[in-house]
Amino acid sequence: SQTIHQWPATLVQPVGSPLSLECTVEGTSNPNLYWYRQAAGRGLQLLFYSVGIGQISSEVPQNLSASRPQDRQFILSSKKLLLSDSGFYLCAWSTAQGSGNTIYFGEGSWLTVV
Amino acid sequence: GESVGLHLPTLSVQEGDNSIINCAYSNSASDYFIWYKQESGKGPQFIIDIRSNMDKRQGQRVTVLLNKTVKHLSLQIAATQPGDSAVYFCAENTSTGANSKLTFGKGITLSVRP
């Protein structure tokens, strides 16, 4: 069966510090990978998605970047965090082929920028 | 623009009653719909899905109804239990050629009274 892991689960970082959130998927190959952000009491905002190694699409302009160095690894980064980067970050995956594929989420990472 | 929205931000039901959570979508080209459940501090979990060529699908204690005429999606939970308390999201998939995009609603909180 497929599993998705992301870490760290919680993070408190000062403004201006760097960020690295990591996500790995097991039990599947060539998945589509996603990073979402969920602000408190709000819905899910798609930040980045990737259809393959080194292929990153950004949905919204922001202070963050994403990378996919391996097939099942997706990393969310920032060089200098802003207060507005605080939120709940979710990594997710789906199968690559066909339309209408369910997206499966990781457990999330709480980021508080202070 | 196209959007997915939920009619009510919160829903309170008595334990043992049936719950109905509604969702309106505006993209008539959407071909696949999913309901997710998100418990506090966790990532969204897949509950049930339905394709646009169907109008009803049943799972264990849950039923999803799709009315394409009025672009309405609902999730029915039978014999609601305290463990059903969570935020519920609907999501619609729109396919354009080989690409597909999943758009999430804002979420509704289901609170189960003992």
Side-chain angles (χ1 to χ4, degrees):
Chain A
S1 63
Q2 299 87 5
T3 57
I4 180 169
H5 305 280
Q6 64 175 103
W7 67 94
T10 59
L11 199 59
V12 180
Q13 291 285 101
V15 169
S17 65
L19 171 73
S20 181
L21 299 179
E22 190 164 344
C23 171
T24 59
V25 178
E26 298 175 0
T28 187
S29 59
N30 194 32
N32 288 342
L33 296 174
Y34 309 84
W35 278 110
Y36 285 85
R37 176 168 56 201
Q38 187 176 35
R42 295 191 176 186
L44 295 158
Q45 179 187 34
L46 179 62
L47 301 176
F48 300 97
Y49 69 93
S50 171
V51 298
I53 296 174
Q55 301 179 62
I56 310 294
S57 296
S58 175
E59 285 292 298
V60 294
Q62 59 202 301
N63 184 43
L64 302 168
S65 62
S67 61
R68 184 170 178 174
Q70 299 181 46
D71 181 45
R72 294 188 295 272
Q73 183 184 25
F74 206 23
I75 298 171
L76 184 68
S77 304
S78 174
K79 292 182 179 178
K80 291 185 178 182
L81 284 168
L82 306 172
L83 287 173
S84 57
D85 291 324
S86 294
F88 190 46
Y89 289 84
L90 289 154
C91 182
W93 75 274
S94 69
T95 57
Q97 300 305 318
S99 66
N101 296 312
T102 302
I103 290 179
Y104 298 95
F105 290 89
E107 286 300 299
S109 298
W110 284 100
L111 170 65
T112 303
V113 182
V114 296
Chain B
E2 303 293 356
S3 64
V4 177
L6 297 173
H7 295 306
L8 299 172
T10 59
L11 177 65
S12 180
V13 298
Q14 188 71 38
E15 181 179 356
D17 288 352
N18 296 335
S19 302
I20 300 176
I21 303 172
N22 297 305
C23 178
Y25 66 94
S26 57
N27 190 341
S28 57
S30 294
D31 55 8
Y32 177 59
F33 304 86
I34 309 171
W35 279 102
Y36 288 90
K37 172 187 179 183
Q38 186 176 24
E39 296 177 349
S40 180
K42 296 185 177 181
Q45 292 179 296
F46 170 88
I47 302 174
I48 193 168
D49 58 1
I50 189 168
R51 299 202 178 270
S52 58
N53 61 352
M54 303 172 67
D55 54 21
K56 181 179 180 179
R57 191 166 187 218
Q58 289 184 293
Q60 187 178 13
R61 279 202 309 119
V62 295
T63 301
V64 56
L65 298 176
L66 176 63
N67 186 331
K68 294 182 288 294
T69 302
V70 295
K71 300 191 191 70
H72 185 267
L73 185 73
S74 68
L75 177 70
Q76 299 179 2
I77 305 174
T80 311
Q81 302 170 359
D84 295 326
S85 294
V87 177
Y88 290 80
F89 293 94
C90 63
E92 64 174 334
N93 181 85
T94 307
S95 300
T96 306
N99 298 317
S100 63
K101 181 178 180 180
L102 201 62
T103 303
F104 290 86
K106 287 185 168 52
I108 182 169
T109 301
L110 176 65
S111 176
V112 181
R113 304 189 301 273

